[in-house]
Amino acid sequence: MKRRIGILTSGGDTPGMNAGIRSVVMAADAAGFSVMGITKGYAGLIDGRVDRIKTEDVDGIVQKGGTILKTARCEDFKTEEGQKKALQVIKAFDISGLVVIGGDGSFQGARVLSHLGVPTIGIPGTIDNDLAYTDFTIGFDTAVNGVIQEMSRIRDTMESHERVGVIEVMGNKCGDIALYAALAGGAEHLMIPEIEFDIDYVCEKIIASRIKGKMTSIVLIAEGAGKGEAVANYMKAKASLDAKAIVLGYIQRGGNPTMADRFRATRMGAHAVQLLNKGIGNRVVGIRDNQILDEDIDEALSREIVFPVDLYEEYKIMSENQK
Ligand code: ADP
Ligand code: F6P
């Protein structure tokens, strides 16, 4: 009899988590494994919220945002006591390998479990795109697509009133959502944590544009760089600009995943099962140069994030050459 695989989603939910779950269940079934779904991440593991998940349970979920397994942030799992409880549950349910879909925090948990003897594979699920070992995390593409759609709506109304739209986006400490959305959506100004910015210079540029007849600008600010509200207030007070702050918030985390997220999640899920089938654990799956790969968790987590300077330079060309 083949062993059982467990699967959980952890940290902030992302569009594409369901595609990953579906892929793991399908690939595991094809390889002769049964799959146990753990509800609410590590919290559910500690509490024993474990149920069989079959191929029919994942029918039609490839297109759905969120995660059918629910997710959580669980402080207890960071303690030895919590980890011991989780290990007991894993043993009680006869789970011999685990797939964790989440971000770097969730991967720390995956590493702990692997070191406790449960082969565990991580799949990068976070909209933030803040994992250095992979070009893209699952959910990032959908989040950026959502941001550029909202940006164009906001631009319509800002243009009608000749206002400045200051749009705050998520990303935790990483500016990728803002950077990619600025490049793809044509934001005039960008504030990200990785690059120093001067708000007075941005105000001067906006005023210069207005003198030339371009009455509306979009400023994208990553949450890691500051608050949209504070920037808009400053622009109003110091430069008499009619600036409006918009916090996009959880809109960025919901919605049907894009083709890119479904595709990557499906491929990564299948790859994770292949590893477990060979008895391999303590690895994370990712994508570099369009190739699916896996890497040791410790190595992956110790990599420094390299800021995509080339993208930023390209964005600057677009921004500096506007009217
Ligand atoms: P993400 O996975 O998106 O980075 P978090 O950083 O909130 O999200 O982490 C998700 C969960 O992973 C935490 O709530 C906790 O249960 C677990 N986790 C985070 N860091 C550790 C750690 N150092 N050791 C064990 N588990 C951890
Ligand atoms: O990590 C994903 C993320 O959406 C970040 O971009 C954001 O800072 C955070 O989670 C929000 O977390 P919560 O769901 O706890 O509000």
CSV table of all heavy atoms in Angstrom, one decimal, residues 10-14 17 41-43 46 71-79 83 100-113 125-128 130-131 172, ligand 1:
chain,number,residue,atom,x,y,z
A,10,SER,N,-1.0,28.0,4.0
A,10,SER,CA,-0.7,28.7,5.2
A,10,SER,C,-0.3,30.2,4.9
A,10,SER,O,0.1,30.4,3.8
A,10,SER,CB,0.5,28.0,5.9
A,10,SER,OG,1.2,28.7,6.8
A,11,GLY,N,-0.4,31.1,5.8
A,11,GLY,CA,-0.1,32.5,5.6
A,11,GLY,C,-1.3,33.1,4.8
A,11,GLY,O,-2.4,32.6,4.8
A,12,GLY,N,-1.0,34.2,4.2
A,12,GLY,CA,-2.1,34.9,3.4
A,12,GLY,C,-2.5,34.0,2.2
A,12,GLY,O,-1.7,33.4,1.6
A,13,ASP,N,-3.8,34.0,2.0
A,13,ASP,CA,-4.3,33.2,0.8
A,13,ASP,C,-3.9,33.9,-0.5
A,13,ASP,O,-3.6,35.1,-0.5
A,13,ASP,CB,-5.8,33.0,0.9
A,13,ASP,CG,-6.5,34.4,0.7
A,13,ASP,OD1,-6.2,35.3,1.5
A,13,ASP,OD2,-7.3,34.5,-0.3
A,14,THR,N,-3.8,33.1,-1.5
A,14,THR,CA,-3.5,33.7,-2.8
A,14,THR,C,-4.3,33.0,-3.9
A,14,THR,O,-4.6,31.8,-3.8
A,14,THR,CB,-2.0,33.5,-3.2
A,14,THR,OG1,-1.8,32.1,-3.6
A,14,THR,CG2,-1.0,33.8,-2.1
A,17,MET,N,-3.8,29.0,-5.2
A,17,MET,CA,-3.6,28.0,-4.1
A,17,MET,C,-4.5,26.8,-4.5
A,17,MET,O,-4.0,25.6,-4.4
A,17,MET,CB,-4.0,28.5,-2.7
A,17,MET,CG,-2.8,29.2,-2.1
A,17,MET,SD,-3.2,29.8,-0.4
A,17,MET,CE,-1.6,30.2,0.2
A,41,GLY,N,-4.2,25.6,7.8
A,41,GLY,CA,-2.7,25.6,7.9
A,41,GLY,C,-2.2,24.8,9.2
A,41,GLY,O,-2.7,23.8,9.5
A,42,TYR,N,-1.1,25.4,9.8
A,42,TYR,CA,-0.5,24.7,10.9
A,42,TYR,C,-1.4,24.7,12.1
A,42,TYR,O,-1.3,23.7,12.9
A,42,TYR,CB,0.8,25.4,11.3
A,42,TYR,CG,1.9,25.3,10.2
A,42,TYR,CD1,2.4,26.4,9.5
A,42,TYR,CD2,2.4,24.0,9.8
A,42,TYR,CE1,3.3,26.3,8.5
A,42,TYR,CE2,3.3,23.9,8.8
A,42,TYR,CZ,3.8,25.0,8.2
A,42,TYR,OH,4.7,24.9,7.2
A,43,ALA,N,-2.4,25.6,12.2
A,43,ALA,CA,-3.3,25.6,13.3
A,43,ALA,C,-4.2,24.3,13.2
A,43,ALA,O,-4.4,23.6,14.2
A,43,ALA,CB,-4.2,26.8,13.3
A,46,ILE,N,-2.2,21.2,14.3
A,46,ILE,CA,-2.1,21.1,15.7
A,46,ILE,C,-3.4,20.5,16.3
A,46,ILE,O,-3.5,19.7,17.1
A,46,ILE,CB,-1.7,22.4,16.4
A,46,ILE,CG1,-0.3,22.8,16.0
A,46,ILE,CG2,-1.9,22.4,17.9
A,46,ILE,CD1,0.2,24.2,16.5
A,71,THR,N,-6.9,29.0,5.4
A,71,THR,CA,-5.5,29.2,5.8
A,71,THR,C,-5.5,29.9,7.1
A,71,THR,O,-6.5,30.4,7.6
A,71,THR,CB,-4.8,30.0,4.7
A,71,THR,OG1,-3.4,30.2,5.0
A,71,THR,CG2,-5.4,31.4,4.5
A,72,ALA,N,-4.3,30.0,7.7
A,72,ALA,CA,-4.2,30.7,9.0
A,72,ALA,C,-2.7,31.1,9.3
A,72,ALA,O,-1.8,30.6,8.6
A,72,ALA,CB,-4.6,29.8,10.1
A,73,ARG,N,-2.6,32.0,10.2
A,73,ARG,CA,-1.3,32.3,10.8
A,73,ARG,C,-1.4,31.7,12.2
A,73,ARG,O,-2.3,31.9,12.9
A,73,ARG,CB,-1.0,33.8,10.7
A,73,ARG,CG,-0.9,34.3,9.3
A,73,ARG,CD,-0.2,35.7,9.3
A,73,ARG,NE,0.1,36.0,7.9
A,73,ARG,CZ,-0.7,36.7,7.1
A,73,ARG,NH1,-1.9,37.1,7.6
A,73,ARG,NH2,-0.4,37.0,5.9
A,74,CYS,N,-0.4,30.9,12.6
A,74,CYS,CA,-0.5,30.2,13.8
A,74,CYS,C,0.8,30.4,14.7
A,74,CYS,O,1.8,29.8,14.3
A,74,CYS,CB,-0.7,28.7,13.5
A,74,CYS,SG,-0.6,27.6,14.9
A,75,GLU,N,0.7,31.2,15.7
A,75,GLU,CA,1.9,31.4,16.6
A,75,GLU,C,2.3,30.1,17.3
A,75,GLU,O,3.5,29.9,17.5
A,75,GLU,CB,1.5,32.5,17.6
A,75,GLU,CG,1.6,33.9,17.0
A,75,GLU,CD,2.9,34.3,16.3
A,75,GLU,OE1,4.0,34.1,16.9
A,75,GLU,OE2,2.9,34.6,15.1
A,76,ASP,N,1.3,29.3,17.7
A,76,ASP,CA,1.6,28.1,18.4
A,76,ASP,C,2.6,27.2,17.7
A,76,ASP,O,3.4,26.5,18.3
A,76,ASP,CB,0.3,27.3,18.6
A,76,ASP,CG,-0.5,27.7,19.9
A,76,ASP,OD1,0.0,28.7,20.5
A,76,ASP,OD2,-1.5,27.1,20.2
A,77,PHE,N,2.5,27.2,16.4
A,77,PHE,CA,3.3,26.3,15.6
A,77,PHE,C,4.8,26.7,15.7
A,77,PHE,O,5.7,25.9,15.3
A,77,PHE,CB,2.9,26.1,14.2
A,77,PHE,CG,3.6,25.1,13.4
A,77,PHE,CD1,3.4,23.7,13.7
A,77,PHE,CD2,4.5,25.4,12.5
A,77,PHE,CE1,4.1,22.7,13.1
A,77,PHE,CE2,5.2,24.4,11.8
A,77,PHE,CZ,5.0,23.1,12.1
A,78,LYS,N,5.0,27.9,16.1
A,78,LYS,CA,6.4,28.4,16.2
A,78,LYS,C,7.1,27.9,17.5
A,78,LYS,O,8.3,28.0,17.7
A,78,LYS,CB,6.5,29.9,16.2
A,78,LYS,CG,6.1,30.5,14.9
A,78,LYS,CD,6.3,32.0,14.9
A,78,LYS,CE,5.8,32.7,13.6
A,78,LYS,NZ,5.7,34.1,13.7
A,79,THR,N,6.3,27.3,18.4
A,79,THR,CA,6.8,26.8,19.7
A,79,THR,C,7.0,25.3,19.5
A,79,THR,O,6.4,24.6,18.8
A,79,THR,CB,5.8,27.0,20.8
A,79,THR,OG1,4.6,26.2,20.6
A,79,THR,CG2,5.3,28.4,20.9
A,83,GLN,N,4.8,22.3,17.8
A,83,GLN,CA,5.3,21.4,16.7
A,83,GLN,C,5.2,19.9,17.1
A,83,GLN,O,5.0,19.1,16.3
A,83,GLN,CB,6.8,21.8,16.5
A,83,GLN,CG,6.9,23.1,15.8
A,83,GLN,CD,8.3,23.8,16.0
A,83,GLN,OE1,9.2,23.2,16.5
A,83,GLN,NE2,8.4,25.1,15.6
A,100,VAL,N,3.3,22.0,1.7
A,100,VAL,CA,2.9,23.2,2.3
A,100,VAL,C,2.9,24.3,1.2
A,100,VAL,O,3.9,24.6,0.6
A,100,VAL,CB,3.9,23.6,3.4
A,100,VAL,CG1,3.6,25.0,3.9
A,100,VAL,CG2,3.8,22.6,4.6
A,101,ILE,N,1.7,24.9,1.0
A,101,ILE,CA,1.7,26.1,0.1
A,101,ILE,C,1.6,27.3,0.9
A,101,ILE,O,0.6,27.5,1.7
A,101,ILE,CB,0.5,26.0,-0.9
A,101,ILE,CG1,0.4,24.6,-1.5
A,101,ILE,CG2,0.5,27.1,-2.0
A,101,ILE,CD1,-0.8,24.4,-2.5
A,102,GLY,N,2.6,28.2,0.8
A,102,GLY,CA,2.7,29.4,1.6
A,102,GLY,C,3.9,30.2,1.2
A,102,GLY,O,4.6,29.9,0.3
A,103,GLY,N,4.2,31.2,2.1
A,103,GLY,CA,5.3,32.1,1.9
A,103,GLY,C,6.5,31.7,2.7
A,103,GLY,O,6.6,30.6,3.2
A,104,ASP,N,7.4,32.6,3.0
A,104,ASP,CA,8.7,32.3,3.7
A,104,ASP,C,8.4,31.8,5.1
A,104,ASP,O,9.1,30.9,5.6
A,104,ASP,CB,9.7,33.4,3.6
A,104,ASP,CG,9.2,34.7,4.3
A,104,ASP,OD1,8.0,34.9,4.4
A,104,ASP,OD2,10.0,35.5,4.6
A,105,GLY,N,7.4,32.4,5.8
A,105,GLY,CA,7.1,32.0,7.1
A,105,GLY,C,6.6,30.5,7.1
A,105,GLY,O,7.1,29.7,7.9
A,106,SER,N,5.7,30.2,6.2
A,106,SER,CA,5.2,28.8,6.1
A,106,SER,C,6.4,27.9,5.8
A,106,SER,O,6.4,26.7,6.2
A,106,SER,CB,4.2,28.8,5.0
A,106,SER,OG,3.1,29.7,5.3
A,107,PHE,N,7.3,28.3,5.0
A,107,PHE,CA,8.5,27.5,4.6
A,107,PHE,C,9.4,27.2,5.9
A,107,PHE,O,10.0,26.1,6.0
A,107,PHE,CB,9.3,28.1,3.5
A,107,PHE,CG,8.7,28.0,2.2
A,107,PHE,CD1,9.3,28.6,1.1
A,107,PHE,CD2,7.5,27.4,1.9
A,107,PHE,CE1,8.8,28.5,-0.2
A,107,PHE,CE2,6.9,27.3,0.7
A,107,PHE,CZ,7.6,27.9,-0.4
A,108,GLN,N,9.4,28.1,6.8
A,108,GLN,CA,10.2,27.9,8.1
A,108,GLN,C,9.5,26.7,8.8
A,108,GLN,O,10.2,25.8,9.3
A,108,GLN,CB,10.1,29.1,9.0
A,108,GLN,CG,10.5,30.4,8.4
A,108,GLN,CD,12.0,30.7,8.6
A,108,GLN,OE1,12.7,29.9,9.1
A,108,GLN,NE2,12.3,32.0,8.3
A,109,GLY,N,8.2,26.7,8.7
A,109,GLY,CA,7.4,25.6,9.4
A,109,GLY,C,7.7,24.3,8.6
A,109,GLY,O,7.9,23.2,9.2
A,110,ALA,N,7.8,24.4,7.3
A,110,ALA,CA,8.0,23.2,6.5
A,110,ALA,C,9.4,22.6,6.8
A,110,ALA,O,9.6,21.4,6.9
A,110,ALA,CB,7.9,23.5,5.0
A,111,ARG,N,10.3,23.5,7.0
A,111,ARG,CA,11.7,23.1,7.3
A,111,ARG,C,11.7,22.4,8.7
A,111,ARG,O,12.3,21.3,8.9
A,111,ARG,CB,12.6,24.3,7.4
A,111,ARG,CG,13.9,24.1,8.1
A,111,ARG,CD,15.0,25.1,7.8
A,111,ARG,NE,14.6,26.5,8.2
A,111,ARG,CZ,15.3,27.5,8.0
A,111,ARG,NH1,16.4,27.4,7.3
A,111,ARG,NH2,14.9,28.7,8.4
A,112,VAL,N,11.0,22.9,9.7
A,112,VAL,CA,10.9,22.3,11.0
A,112,VAL,C,10.4,20.9,10.9
A,112,VAL,O,11.0,19.9,11.4
A,112,VAL,CB,10.0,23.1,11.9
A,112,VAL,CG1,9.7,22.4,13.2
A,112,VAL,CG2,10.6,24.5,12.3
A,113,LEU,N,9.3,20.7,10.1
A,113,LEU,CA,8.7,19.4,10.0
A,113,LEU,C,9.7,18.4,9.3
A,113,LEU,O,9.8,17.2,9.7
A,113,LEU,CB,7.4,19.5,9.3
A,113,LEU,CG,6.2,20.1,10.1
A,113,LEU,CD1,5.0,20.3,9.2
A,113,LEU,CD2,5.9,19.3,11.3
A,125,GLY,N,3.4,30.2,-2.3
A,125,GLY,CA,2.1,30.8,-2.4
A,125,GLY,C,2.1,32.1,-1.6
A,125,GLY,O,1.8,32.1,-0.4
A,126,THR,N,2.3,33.2,-2.3
A,126,THR,CA,2.2,34.5,-1.7
A,126,THR,C,2.1,35.6,-2.8
A,126,THR,O,2.8,35.5,-3.8
A,126,THR,CB,3.3,34.9,-0.7
A,126,THR,OG1,3.3,36.3,-0.5
A,126,THR,CG2,4.7,34.6,-1.3
A,127,ILE,N,1.2,36.6,-2.6
A,127,ILE,CA,1.1,37.6,-3.7
A,127,ILE,C,2.3,38.5,-3.7
A,127,ILE,O,2.5,39.2,-4.6
A,127,ILE,CB,-0.2,38.4,-3.5
A,127,ILE,CG1,-0.2,39.2,-2.2
A,127,ILE,CG2,-1.5,37.6,-3.7
A,127,ILE,CD1,-1.3,40.3,-2.2
A,128,ASP,N,3.1,38.4,-2.6
A,128,ASP,CA,4.2,39.4,-2.5
A,128,ASP,C,5.4,39.2,-3.4
A,128,ASP,O,6.2,40.1,-3.6
A,128,ASP,CB,4.7,39.4,-1.0
A,128,ASP,CG,3.6,39.7,0.0
A,128,ASP,OD1,2.6,40.4,-0.4
A,128,ASP,OD2,3.7,39.3,1.2
A,130,ASP,N,8.1,37.6,-2.8
A,130,ASP,CA,9.2,38.0,-2.0
A,130,ASP,C,10.1,36.8,-1.6
A,130,ASP,O,10.7,36.8,-0.6
A,130,ASP,CB,8.8,38.7,-0.7
A,130,ASP,CG,7.8,37.9,0.1
A,130,ASP,OD1,7.4,36.8,-0.3
A,130,ASP,OD2,7.5,38.3,1.3
A,131,LEU,N,10.2,35.8,-2.5
A,131,LEU,CA,11.0,34.7,-2.2
A,131,LEU,C,12.1,34.7,-3.3
A,131,LEU,O,11.9,34.6,-4.5
A,131,LEU,CB,10.2,33.3,-2.3
A,131,LEU,CG,9.3,33.2,-1.1
A,131,LEU,CD1,8.2,32.1,-1.4
A,131,LEU,CD2,10.0,32.8,0.1
A,172,ASN,N,3.9,43.5,1.5
A,172,ASN,CA,4.7,43.4,2.7
A,172,ASN,C,5.9,44.3,2.5
A,172,ASN,O,5.8,45.4,2.2
A,172,ASN,CB,5.0,41.9,3.0
A,172,ASN,CG,5.4,41.7,4.4
A,172,ASN,OD1,5.4,42.6,5.3
A,172,ASN,ND2,5.7,40.5,4.8
B,1,ADP,P1,3.8,33.5,4.9
B,1,ADP,O1,3.9,32.0,4.9
B,1,ADP,O2,2.9,34.0,3.9
B,1,ADP,O3,5.2,34.2,4.9
B,1,ADP,P2,3.6,34.0,7.8
B,1,ADP,O4,5.0,34.7,7.9
B,1,ADP,O5,2.5,34.7,8.5
B,1,ADP,O6,3.1,33.9,6.3
B,1,ADP,O7,3.8,32.5,8.3
B,1,ADP,C1,2.7,31.6,8.2
B,1,ADP,C2,2.8,30.7,9.3
B,1,ADP,O8,4.0,29.9,9.2
B,1,ADP,C3,3.0,31.3,10.7
B,1,ADP,O9,1.7,31.7,11.3
B,1,ADP,C4,3.5,30.1,11.5
B,1,ADP,O10,2.4,29.2,11.8
B,1,ADP,C5,4.4,29.5,10.5
B,1,ADP,N1,5.8,29.9,10.8
B,1,ADP,C6,6.3,31.1,10.5
B,1,ADP,N2,7.6,31.3,10.9
B,1,ADP,C7,7.9,30.1,11.5
B,1,ADP,C8,9.0,29.5,12.2
B,1,ADP,N3,10.1,30.3,12.4
B,1,ADP,N4,9.0,28.3,12.7
B,1,ADP,C9,7.8,27.6,12.5
B,1,ADP,N5,6.7,28.0,11.9
B,1,ADP,C10,6.7,29.2,11.4
